[in-house]
Amino acid sequence: MIMDPIESINIKKDTSFGFLLEAKKRGWELCYCQPQDLSLEKNLVIATCEVIDVENKVGAHYQSKGRVSRTLSDFNAVFMRKDPPFDMDYIYSTYLLELAQEAGTLVLNHPRSLRDCNEKLFTAWFPQFTPSTLVSANKDKLKAFVAQEKDVILKPLDGMGGASIFRVKDQDPNVSVIIETLTQHGQQLSMAQTFIPQIVDGDKRILIVNGEVIPYTLARIPSKGETRGNLAAGGSGIPMPITQAEKTIAEKIAPDLLKRGLYFVGLDMIGEYVTEINVTSPTCMRELEDEFGINIAGKLFDAIEEKIAS
């Protein structure tokens, strides 16, 4: 498991930790490291990692059994679950992981697809399901989009958790400075999308596991006075069954995800629009498992073990 520091996670909500618990239940050996613990030595990808045990106990959720250095090709499966920002160090890690995959290790999600499928821009491959969108670094084009659409969300392409997301209207006196800030004065691409009023009903997280759409969603409801439903931005999560419209859209996207080696994906939908396709470290699994008594991690590990056996 390649992830952020394990000692600081919230185990009640952390999906990566849920995967570790499922792996332990199945008798797997568990190792953990961070991206900076990877190295390339004599064309072998090495992980300096901790052999760990995990327990579903707050404050005592993991125990280190010591550090070891092992080639990634020694592992049956490697999870890349590092949170964004998606910077050059992240990209370098995917190159190392791709070498490990070519040596016979199953990497989830596929390293090349982690590079190719930017969580904001990947929605452009499914324009029939997205709101009106502009991606540009040009201030005049972005201002014209705001003037045309009247009510717009502006956001960076490499963020997470609702960071640096702005809602602007056509008469907003701050529109120029917001655009300048996001684009770094025209040097960086940013995304503009038409504001979707159904955000009041929640920004829905829909999980797709090995091409299967999970029949429940977590609706992330913005707090009072907020536009963003992200839990990290103060939103509240309400588990609920998926709607037929959401299920239909997710099932049309799912085959393309599986084709790209994206085995665990989180679609973000507002109303009947897909706003993001999260492939790096999508969450909300544990909340749905707790609420509905389902084993989503088990579905993924069933698929992993089948792939390993074949």
Side-chain angles (χ1 to χ4, degrees):
M1 181 68 65
I2 303 170
M3 57 186 286
D4 291 295
I6 193 170
E7 64 271 13
S8 59
I9 62 174
N10 179 351
I11 68 168
K12 293 183 178 180
K13 297 180 179 293
D14 194 274
T15 294
S16 301
F17 188 74
F19 291 152
L20 289 170
L21 289 173
E22 180 66 22
K24 176 185 176 178
K25 185 170 70 177
R26 292 171 180 246
W28 285 50
E29 179 189 12
L30 308 181
C31 292
Y32 144 80
C33 73
Q34 297 183 59
Q36 62 265 31
D37 298 317
L38 300 177
S39 58
L40 180 64
E41 304 173 31
K42 298 180 180 178
N43 215 42
L44 294 174
V45 182
I46 308 295
T48 302
C49 51
E50 294 182 54
V51 180
I52 61 170
D53 188 20
V54 292
E55 295 287 344
N56 198 22
K57 295 179 180 178
V58 175
H61 59 278
Y62 92 104
Q63 178 183 1
S64 175
K65 298 180 179 180
R67 293 180 70 82
V68 296
S69 290
R70 294 174 60 176
T71 61
L72 286 191
S73 58
D74 287 343
F75 292 94
N76 296 107
V78 174
F79 285 78
M80 177 53 162
R81 293 280 304 174
K82 170 72 174 66
D83 285 344
F86 193 93
D87 54 17
M88 287 306 301
D89 281 335
Y90 193 108
I91 290 175
Y92 298 148
S93 296
T94 67
Y95 288 129
L96 298 184
L97 291 170
E98 193 165 1
L99 282 173
Q101 178 140 301
E102 290 178 359
T105 298
L106 176 63
V107 181
L108 297 94
N109 283 317
H110 194 296
R112 186 180 301 122
S113 293
L114 288 176
R115 287 198 302 275
D116 290 350
C117 301
N118 174 272
E119 301 187 328
K120 311 291 193 301
L121 268 177
F122 190 34
T123 58
W125 271 251
F126 309 96
Q128 67 273 38
F129 304 128
T130 63
S132 181
T133 300
L134 171 70
V135 175
S136 179
N138 184 283
K139 181 172 75 172
D140 293 336
K141 288 184 178 182
L142 289 165
K143 289 183 70 173
F145 185 86
V146 173
Q148 173 185 307
E149 300 297 324
K150 307 300 184 185
D151 198 351
V152 168
I153 295 294
L154 295 171
K155 55 188 175 182
L157 295 176
D158 62 350
M160 66 165 289
S164 301
I165 292 179
F166 297 89
R167 179 184 177 186
V168 295
K169 298 185 178 181
D170 59 331
Q171 298 301 318
D172 192 321
N174 294 309
V175 64
S176 291
V177 70
I178 290 171
I179 291 172
E180 289 166 3
T181 300
L182 280 176
T183 65
Q184 296 186 8
H185 293 273
Q187 300 302 306
Q188 183 168 289
L189 292 170
S190 296
M191 175 176 280
Q193 289 181 326
T194 303
F195 175 74
I196 307 168
Q198 291 91 331
I199 185 63
V200 296
D201 299 320
D203 181 353
K204 304 280 192 71
R205 168 57 55 83
I206 297 168
L207 297 178
I208 302 177
V209 182
N210 194 40
E212 177 185 348
V213 179
I214 301 302
Y216 304 100
T217 72
L218 191 73
R220 296 161 298 173
I221 310 295
S223 58
K224 186 176 181 180
E226 258 286 359
T227 299
R228 303 167 298 169
N230 308 77
L231 302 182
S236 56
I238 301 177
M240 60 181 61
I242 196 170
T243 68
Q244 185 57 52
E246 292 162 351
K247 184 173 183 287
T248 298
I249 291 171
E251 286 179 341
K252 289 180 178 178
I253 293 173
D256 194 70
L257 303 178
L258 197 55
K259 181 178 67 177
R260 294 171 181 263
L262 295 168
Y263 299 107
F264 191 84
V265 176
L267 295 187
D268 287 350
M269 291 188 65
I270 303 174
E272 295 185 7
Y273 293 101
V274 175
T275 58
E276 294 186 15
I277 302 177
N278 296 273
V279 303
T280 53
S281 57
T283 58
C284 300
M285 180 186 79
R286 302 212 73 196
E287 294 93 328
L288 296 180
E289 289 184 330
D290 290 342
E291 179 70 19
F292 297 107
I294 57 175
N295 187 359
I296 299 172
K299 291 180 179 291
L300 181 60
F301 272 84
D302 284 345
I304 292 171
E305 291 180 348
E306 183 178 337
K307 291 179 184 299
I308 290 170
S310 63

